[in-house]
Amino acid sequence: MAMQEHKAWIDENMTGWPESTKEIAAVTISSYGPPQMVGPEMLVWGKSGPWKRIQLHREEVPHQFPMPHKDVLQQFVDFEVPADKFDELASYDGSVVAERTAGELRVSGSSTLANERGSVWALGMR
């Protein structure tokens, strides 16, 4: 349903992108509106819902854990991971990454739902 609702925008701005990524864009647009930045390789939403920013990449990155999927969606929150929790975070999942200098937590995945699960786990580390 989301894809049909946003087909004109997607057709105009995402020519040549993989269909699976277009579907993720449609769902993200349904939730947060159109992105604030549109480029040939990435769409970016600024402050959207609980997210500091959202980035949807054209290029799919294969990822094998916890099951094979392709990472294209990155979502960020402000969060300073305690120094003694970095090892635990790294062992949890490679899709959840702390950017210590920026004070951000980045979750990468194939959908907002998958990213929400990863970020909820990580935010419970305090």
Side-chain angles (χ1 to χ4, degrees), residues 9 13-14 35-44:
W9 190 95
N13 293 283
M14 299 180 72
Q36 284 83 35
M37 293 176 34
V38 178
E41 299 298 321
M42 180 172 44
L43 307 178
V44 179

Side-chain angles (χ1 to χ4, degrees), residues 31-32 50-51 73 75 92 96 107-109 111-123:
S31 296
Y32 305 112
W51 306 107
L73 187 67
Q75 293 170 283
Y92 167 67
V96 180
V107 184
S108 301
S111 71
T112 297
L113 179 59
N115 288 354
E116 287 172 355
R117 289 180 185 147
S119 64
V120 166
W121 180 89
L123 292 173

Side-chain angles (χ1 to χ4, degrees), residues 58-95:
R58 180 180 185 153
E59 183 179 335
E60 300 171 317
V61 177
H63 191 141
Q64 300 303 315
F65 182 82
M67 64 186 72
H69 65 279
K70 294 178 180 173
D71 286 350
V72 293
L73 187 67
Q74 294 181 322
Q75 293 170 283
F76 299 77
V77 293
D78 282 321
F79 185 75
E80 293 186 23
V81 174
D84 65 333
K85 298 292 186 178
F86 272 82
D87 288 345
E88 185 179 347
L89 179 61
S91 68
Y92 167 67
D93 186 345
S95 292

Side-chain angles (χ1 to χ4, degrees), residues 11-12 20 49 56 66 79 109 113 126:
D11 287 348
E12 182 179 334
S20 58
L56 179 62
F79 185 75
L113 179 59
R126 292 181 194 201

Side-chain angles (χ1 to χ4, degrees), residues 2-36:
M3 186 75 147
Q4 293 172 343
E5 292 174 11
H6 304 292
K7 185 174 181 357
W9 190 95
I10 289 168
D11 287 348
E12 182 179 334
N13 293 283
M14 299 180 72
T15 302
W17 288 49
E19 287 303 313
S20 58
T21 306
K22 290 179 181 180
E23 290 173 16
I24 294 167
V27 170
T28 307
I29 292 167
S30 290
S31 296
Y32 305 112
Q36 284 83 35

